[in-house]
Amino acid sequence: SASSTSPAAAAAAGIRRRSPAASSRGRALGVQQVRTVTVAAARSEFASFFPEQVTALEEPAAVAMAQKCKQVSVDVPGRPKPVLTSCVGAPPPPGGEAAAPFVLLHGFDSSCLEYRRLFPLLAARAETWALDLLDWGFTDAG
């Protein structure tokens, strides 16, 4: 389930979201220095199936990908009920309708957020999907 997602998958990424701020010492010297400030995302910015650790995401690409993530129901033979898994999808861009779609599947102990940097590049060319493998990422393996 999402609450048992590994720390590697939950933290999936990153460098900090940064915002520039001039330091008073730098201004006094006539030089503007840039200091970084971590900006945490609010829990309400993410779907409810994500664990609380999603608010620790700081890399803008990871935050954006997590915010686009949806949960879908998948019928799995041999399971008594459908499994909820997560994915991010993008329709083909104008002119990309004839291109073969990209389907991105992560490795073990990971999530679809692994493709946070590649996904937008591929989505600019063709329909693109990043899926969580069952029992990994943000699935409810129930």
Side-chain angles (χ1 to χ4, degrees):
S1 76
S3 62
S4 65
T5 302
S6 74
I15 59 173
R16 296 188 165 125
R17 280 204 311 197
R18 300 169 189 267
S19 60
S23 73
S24 58
R25 181 177 163 197
R27 282 189 299 241
L29 297 173
V31 177
Q32 184 173 8
Q33 296 177 341
V34 176
R35 124 183 112 96
T36 60
V37 177
T38 300
V39 180
R43 180 67 182 99
S44 62
E45 293 182 51
F46 303 98
S48 62
F49 63 85
F50 279 110
E52 189 62 35
Q53 295 94 324
V54 72
T55 59
L57 292 174
E58 297 173 333
E59 181 183 355
V63 172
M65 185 88 161
Q67 289 171 333
K68 293 176 188 170
C69 208
K70 295 186 175 16
Q71 201 169 44
V72 296
S73 178
V74 178
D75 290 321
V76 179
R79 301 256 178 138
K81 61 180 185 173
V83 175
L84 294 174
T85 191
S86 55
C87 66
V88 177
E97 297 86 356
F102 294 105
V103 178
L104 307 171
L105 298 172
H106 60 78
F108 294 107
D109 196 22
S110 188
S111 78
C112 61
L113 298 183
E114 289 295 323
Y115 295 105
R116 64 194 175 274
R117 295 183 195 118
L118 180 60
F119 187 90
L121 300 174
L122 297 177
R125 302 180 70 171
E127 179 180 4
T128 305
W129 290 90
L131 311 169
D132 273 338
L133 296 175
L134 298 182
D135 292 336
W136 296 97
F138 304 103
T139 62
D140 177 21

